[in-house]
Amino acid sequence: MIDAGAIADDRVGPTARKRSVGVRVGAVTVGGGAPVVVQSMTNTDTADIEGTARQVAALARAGSELVRITVDRDEAAAAVPHIRDRLAQMNVDVPLVGDFHYIGHKLLADHPACAEALAKYRINPGNVGFKDKKDRQFSAIVETAIQYGKAVRIGANWGSLDQDLLTVLMDENARSSKPVDARAVTREALVRSALYSAERAEELGLSRDRIILSAKVSAVQDLIAVYRTLASRCDYAIHLGLTEAGMGSKGIVASSAALGILLQDGIGDTIRVSLTPEPGGDRSVEVKVAQEILQTMGFRTFVPLVAACPGCGRTTSTVFQELARDIQNYIHVEMPNWKTLYPGVENLNVAVMGCIVNGPGESKHADIGISLPGTGETPSAPVFIDGQKALTLRGPNIAAEFKQLVDDYIIRRYGVAKQSAAE
């Protein structure tokens, strides 16, 4: 006999998030129990005000809740407040994060309007300065953040690690009676670099609720090890990201594997998927992938899910593939409007199945689903709504008729939700 209590105890779900200090970045909260935040970064020349504003707007409309921009020289710093103002004209309200390296202290001092316009400053302790200048220049950025009430992400990076710290740890390891391999020492240096810098920022007066930490590497196993260690040693809000993830499926798979494991461990308050776009490609793909990681794992819901079978020898017709594609594309195009018109529509589940084997069952589990005929099956397509067979479609217009049924379902179910909320 099956023990129902034992089944319930064995259910697998996301691990409870590790409690971190909440950080306000503009109107967005990172950490402190808030939902995991999606962010992205532009690849435009920040000095190009119109081009950068348009890309920020595209990323924000795709769902990026924070957008980072490069601030690498005077022209870029001078452009930042104008980018913010241009975004306001476009009705885009997304916090901007300034990415500073090498001369961030000088740029912030010379361009106070930039310092004020940004919601957060990103500092890499490995290249904020060198030798005796390091603490002075780091301190200058932190003091500016305090002056303007801004958050700071202290982002250690495998590719630009603090070499002085790494040398010290390597020497200590060499003298140890039980030395570890060099890769483990490097991981430890990343963690310590972030923590030491956070400690110094607090000494300067930056409160813990203004600090976010990251320690990014480009290898999946290293990333998992580094962030598990970092999370075990602090309660700062944590930004997750596999740096230089790569292009196409490689970057998507690597980021999904690394971030998925850490999120399942309860680690991470904000994420970025650092994909290399195709030449002239859509930068917002990285936003979509980040959303899909969070939604697939059950942490957040952004868009309706479309379940579709992969196809096999029973489905030589491409009708179900075309319909699944059309429905998915339709959903992504309409979501900006649907969010306003139909609150809760992001929780919708649609199924587009290709034959009788799993089609009816999967369609019953969806809010609305269709089971298309496979090779040799009767040319009819039962439609299931809320778990019940509602009707059967036949003829050459099945795809168009089903899309209309999806539209009608959304209006009927989620339009009522909006009306009830208004009342």
Side-chain angles (χ1 to χ4, degrees):
M1 182 175 178
I2 296 175
D3 183 345
I7 291 176
D9 289 342
D10 285 342
R11 287 175 183 165
V12 177
T15 302
R17 296 262 304 287
K18 294 183 183 299
R19 189 72 178 184
S20 60
V21 177
V23 179
R24 292 289 290 176
V25 182
V28 175
T29 299
V30 175
V36 180
V37 172
V38 172
Q39 64 177 278
S40 59
M41 185 175 183
T42 60
N43 61 356
T44 56
D45 178 357
T46 306
D48 175 3
I49 295 168
E50 186 64 24
T52 300
R54 288 187 180 281
Q55 190 174 84
V56 170
L59 291 167
R61 287 166 179 156
S64 185
E65 293 154 308
L66 300 174
V67 179
R68 185 156 47 113
I69 59 178
T70 298
V71 187
D72 58 346
R73 64 195 197 281
D74 286 305
E75 293 83 357
V80 170
H82 299 292
I83 292 168
R84 178 201 56 190
D85 294 345
R86 180 70 183 99
L87 289 168
Q89 294 171 0
M90 299 164 75
N91 294 316
V92 175
D93 182 19
V94 63
L96 296 176
V97 180
D99 195 53
F100 292 103
H101 297 274
Y102 306 112
I103 59 170
H105 62 291
K106 184 177 185 302
L107 293 174
L108 287 167
D110 292 348
H111 300 274
C114 169
E116 186 277 328
L118 295 168
K120 183 175 73 171
Y121 310 154
R122 192 270 188 168
I123 312 172
N124 183 339
N127 61 27
V128 71
F130 303 96
K131 303 298 180 183
D132 60 320
K133 294 182 179 179
K134 182 185 302 181
D135 184 64
R136 189 164 66 250
Q137 295 176 179
F138 176 84
S139 298
I141 298 176
V142 170
E143 287 164 357
T144 302
I146 295 169
Q147 176 185 352
Y148 289 97
K150 306 300 182 180
V152 171
R153 171 157 75 94
I154 297 170
N157 193 292
W158 190 272
S160 50
L161 184 56
D162 184 332
Q163 292 303 302
D164 292 340
L165 174 60
L166 181 59
T167 298
V168 169
L169 294 183
M170 286 292 187
D171 289 344
E172 287 179 359
N173 184 60
R175 293 192 298 268
S176 172
S177 59
K178 295 181 179 179
V180 297
D181 66 71
R183 205 167 188 88
V185 177
T186 306
R187 291 197 295 262
E188 177 66 16
L190 266 176
V191 172
R192 290 201 196 182
S193 177
L195 292 175
Y196 287 167
S197 297
E199 182 180 345
R200 177 58 181 148
E202 286 199 68
E203 289 174 355
L204 292 165
L206 188 66
S207 58
R208 296 176 75 80
D209 63 357
R210 292 285 182 186
I211 299 173
I212 299 171
L213 297 188
S214 67
K216 297 173 74 173
V217 303
S218 57
V220 170
Q221 293 297 343
D222 287 321
L223 191 86
I224 294 166
V226 165
Y227 272 103
R228 281 175 171 168
T229 302
L230 181 63
S232 72
R233 296 186 191 175
C234 73
D235 63 354
Y236 294 108
I238 288 178
H239 168 77
L240 294 184
L242 185 76
T243 192
E244 292 97 34
M247 183 179 284
S249 61
K250 184 269 179 186
I252 293 171
V253 171
S255 293
S256 300
L259 272 57
I261 289 169
L262 290 166
L263 289 166
Q264 186 71 17
D265 283 349
I267 298 168
D269 301 293
T270 173
I271 68 171
R272 181 194 172 201
V273 175
S274 301
L275 296 180
T276 304
E278 296 285 344
D282 184 358
R283 187 72 168 178
S284 65
V285 170
E286 67 175 49
V287 178
K288 183 178 178 182
V289 173
Q291 289 182 327
E292 288 178 351
I293 291 171
L294 292 173
Q295 182 155 342
T296 299
M297 296 194 67
F299 287 99
R300 292 190 63 181
T301 304
F302 298 97
V303 296
L305 289 176
V306 179
C309 74
C312 66
R314 300 176 64 93
T315 56
T316 53
S317 168
T318 61
V319 173
F320 82 95
Q321 297 167 333
E322 293 162 359
L323 181 56
R325 178 201 60 202
D326 291 349
I327 291 291
Q328 190 138 307
N329 289 342
Y330 180 60
I331 285 170
H332 281 284
V333 169
E334 294 297 325
M335 269 307 292
N337 294 327
W338 285 353
K339 284 180 181 178
T340 301
L341 296 172
Y342 308 117
V345 69
E346 65 274 9
N347 296 302
L348 176 71
N349 288 312
V350 181
V352 179
M353 306 303 292
C355 78
I356 201 170
V357 174
N358 292 317
E362 290 287 351
S363 297
K364 287 178 184 176
H365 289 304
D367 295 312
I368 179 168
I370 186 169
S371 179
L372 293 160
T375 305
E377 293 175 8
T378 303
S380 60
V383 175
F384 297 82
I385 298 176
D386 294 328
Q388 302 296 320
K389 183 177 176 181
L391 70 161
T392 299
L393 300 179
R394 296 181 175 85
N397 298 316
I398 286 177
E401 291 171 8
F402 181 67
K403 281 198 285 188
Q404 185 60 55
L405 288 170
V406 172
D407 262 350
D408 294 343
Y409 182 87
I410 289 170
I411 293 169
R412 184 173 67 255
R413 178 174 175 181
Y414 297 103
V416 170
K418 183 178 181 181
Q419 182 179 352
S420 298
E423 293 171 352

